[in-house]
Amino acid sequence: MERHHELRRPPGTSRFGCNLCGKEGHQAAQCAEGTVDWIDRFGLDTFVPKLPYYMIKPRAKPDYAKIEEEARLYAKTKEEAAKKVDTKTTGEKFQLELQKQIVQAKVNETLPQGWRSYTAPNGKMYYHHAATNKTQWTKPAE
Ligand SMILES: [Zn+2]
């Protein structure tokens, strides 16, 4: 017996006994007092012997109609998604944003003191007065 086997047994137990519990008559692999739940760790399927290949039944014929239907639905979904993609390049977006800001700057020059114009997410312009925290859609006269 090798020394590292002896060290795992509880002290004072037989050197011919199990490496886990020290009792004679079985080995550590069959020990009922083992602490590792191998089935829990690897699943019961791991320990069930597999059928030889010649005893496994051939697979059932695939349902081609269902596969086709699913494939068509997938293609349609992809097509719809492709239509929604924003095709503007970064340069085009930059130009649009720049034009928007130029227009806004020109409008700001014509506004009374304290007023600034902004563009809402819907594209409509609105006006805000910072000192009074007033916001309105119509252009302020004074
Ligand atoms: Zn044992």
Side-chain angles (χ1 to χ4, degrees), residues 70-84:
E70 283 170 359
R72 283 188 192 283
L73 185 69
Y74 177 78
K76 201 175 163 189
T77 311
K78 280 278 177 186
E79 209 178 282
E80 291 295 316
K83 278 181 196 167
K84 287 177 190 161

Side-chain angles (χ1 to χ4, degrees), residues 17-23 26-28 30-34:
C18 163
N19 275 329
L20 295 175
C21 64
K23 289 174 192 154
H26 65 271
Q27 292 185 325
Q30 284 82 41
C31 184
E33 292 171 44

Side-chain angles (χ1 to χ4, degrees), residues 19-135:
N19 275 329
L20 295 175
C21 64
K23 289 174 192 154
E24 290 184 29
H26 65 271
Q27 292 185 325
Q30 284 82 41
C31 184
E33 292 171 44
T35 52
V36 181
D37 189 347
W38 296 109
I39 289 173
D40 180 55
R41 191 177 283 190
F42 294 109
L44 183 63
D45 197 45
T46 313
F47 301 97
V48 177
K50 301 289 181 290
L51 286 173
Y53 73 91
Y54 51 81
M55 286 179 73
I56 297 170
K57 281 186 212 158
R59 283 198 298 171
K61 197 181 169 198
D63 186 353
Y64 290 116
K66 195 181 171 210
I67 291 169
E68 188 187 333
E69 190 185 315
E70 283 170 359
R72 283 188 192 283
L73 185 69
Y74 177 78
K76 201 175 163 189
T77 311
K78 280 278 177 186
E79 209 178 282
E80 291 295 316
K83 278 181 196 167
K84 287 177 190 161
V85 170
D86 188 358
T87 53
K88 286 196 191 81
T89 64
T90 309
E92 284 169 340
K93 283 179 193 169
F94 178 76
Q95 282 297 327
L96 281 171
E97 182 60 32
L98 199 68
Q99 257 160 20
K100 216 189 276 175
Q101 284 184 17
I102 288 167
V103 168
Q104 216 138 54
K106 277 181 184 166
V107 171
N108 280 339
E109 282 172 24
T110 66
L111 291 176
Q113 185 74 33
W115 286 93
R116 282 188 68 84
S117 70
Y118 297 94
T119 311
N122 62 8
K124 204 176 165 192
M125 205 174 270
Y126 67 94
Y127 305 89
H128 181 248
H129 192 266
T132 58
N133 200 22
K134 201 177 167 190
T135 309

